[in-house]
Amino acid sequence: MVEPEDLDDLDDLDDLDDLLRAVASGHRRHILVRVWDRERSAGDLAELLELAPASVSEHLRVLRKHGLVAMRVDGTFRLYRAVPERLGHLVELLTRVFPGIEPAGEGGHSQEVGG
């Protein structure tokens, strides 16, 4: 593991923690998938994910706070879309903190742990 002094800034570790917390929720990950390639309203997301509108709004607030989704107003609609660059930043931080990290193989794990 990279020692903290090897990172450009200790804020990078805080940013990594914040981003990991933001995507830790399954509902937020499902929202990110749904807004990855197209804009959607909070109402659309609530219907698609079978969640209460207030719950979707709270999840969107967290995702926006961490820059993972962007919102634009179109008339009376607020439309949300994923910010791929911000997710790319999360991947970049992970590879800096854990050098040599590789995507898992088809089985879901690239190595056995403890064996």
Side-chain angles (χ1 to χ4, degrees):
M1 186 164 132
V2 174
E3 295 299 320
E5 60 268 13
D6 294 337
L7 293 171
D8 291 339
D9 190 338
L10 286 177
D11 289 339
D12 286 345
L13 286 176
D14 292 336
D15 197 23
L16 176 60
D17 288 345
D18 290 342
L19 288 169
L20 288 173
R21 275 190 214 94
V23 298
S25 162
H27 292 310
R28 288 195 286 270
R29 289 191 307 273
H30 284 280
I31 288 171
L32 283 170
V33 168
R34 295 294 186 161
V35 298
W36 184 255
D37 59 357
R38 65 178 284 199
E39 294 177 316
R40 293 187 188 268
S41 69
D44 289 343
L45 291 166
E47 187 175 322
L48 285 167
L49 301 172
E50 299 178 354
L51 294 172
S55 177
V56 170
S57 292
E58 176 60 20
H59 289 302
L60 286 167
R61 184 193 66 76
V62 171
L63 292 169
R64 284 186 66 209
K65 174 184 173 185
H66 296 290
L68 293 164
V69 298
M71 182 208 50
R72 82 175 175 89
V73 177
D74 183 14
T76 59
F77 293 99
R78 292 177 184 213
L79 301 173
Y80 299 88
R81 187 176 188 107
V83 179
E85 298 83 7
R86 190 67 173 142
L87 284 168
H89 181 64
L90 171 58
V91 172
E92 176 192 341
L93 288 172
L94 284 169
T95 58
R96 287 177 55 210
V97 172
F98 303 104
I101 194 171
E102 294 290 330
E106 285 190 32
H109 298 286
S110 58
Q111 296 179 4
E112 290 295 318
V113 177

